[in-house]
Amino acid sequence: HVQLVESGGGSVQAGGSLRLSCLASGSLPSNYCMGWFRQVLGREREAVASIAMDGSTSYIDSVKGRFTISRDNAKNALYLQLNGLKPEDTAMYYCAAHAGRYCYWTSFGYWGQGTQVTVS
């Protein structure tokens, strides 16, 4: 069983920055992809960014150049630096993971409880 715990959400004004963190624990596979998703109440959950064990990353177009995903494999930690925040970035942000060397958006099966980001 894998546990994911997010932190770092909050309320900021447009143009501001936040840094989200996620700590993974439990029965972690030797290779696993990690990612961030977000969801607005009443809408489908949306993929934001992913990062493989080797550090290769993927982003959705709307956050490219503003968000940066990173991980510290020694600490089983995942981060998301959010810069240039816009009101449309307001959502609950979820940390997610799946076993494997590479990342696939549809393979995420482990989820955190979420951390709220509000941009006004």
Side-chain angles (χ1 to χ4, degrees):
H1 186 62
V2 173
Q3 294 87 38
L4 302 173
V5 179
E6 305 97 332
S7 62
S11 297
V12 297
Q13 292 187 338
S17 298
L18 284 172
R19 188 183 192 224
L20 307 183
S21 300
C22 173
L23 291 180
S25 61
S27 302
L28 294 167
S30 56
N31 288 293
Y32 60 101
C33 168
M34 299 192 80
W36 289 97
F37 289 71
R38 63 188 181 185
Q39 187 171 23
V40 176
L41 193 62
R43 298 184 183 176
E44 290 188 2
R45 187 156 47 191
E46 173 186 46
V48 176
S50 67
I51 183 167
M53 286 289 288
D54 65 1
S56 56
T57 59
S58 181
Y59 298 90
I60 57 171
D61 287 344
S62 61
V63 307
K64 285 180 180 178
R66 299 189 298 122
F67 292 5
T68 303
I69 190 171
S70 61
R71 66 189 290 172
D72 184 334
N73 293 332
K75 297 180 179 179
N76 296 325
L78 175 71
Y79 307 99
L80 186 67
Q81 179 67 40
L82 298 78
N83 296 329
L85 281 161
K86 304 175 181 180
E88 51 264 43
D89 294 318
T90 295
M92 185 72 78
Y93 282 71
Y94 295 91
C95 173
H98 72 77
R101 184 177 297 274
Y102 303 108
C103 290
Y104 302 95
W105 292 121
T106 57
S107 296
F108 287 91
Y110 302 115
W111 297 91
Q113 81 290 349
T115 185
Q116 179 69 35
V117 171
T118 302
V119 186
S120 59

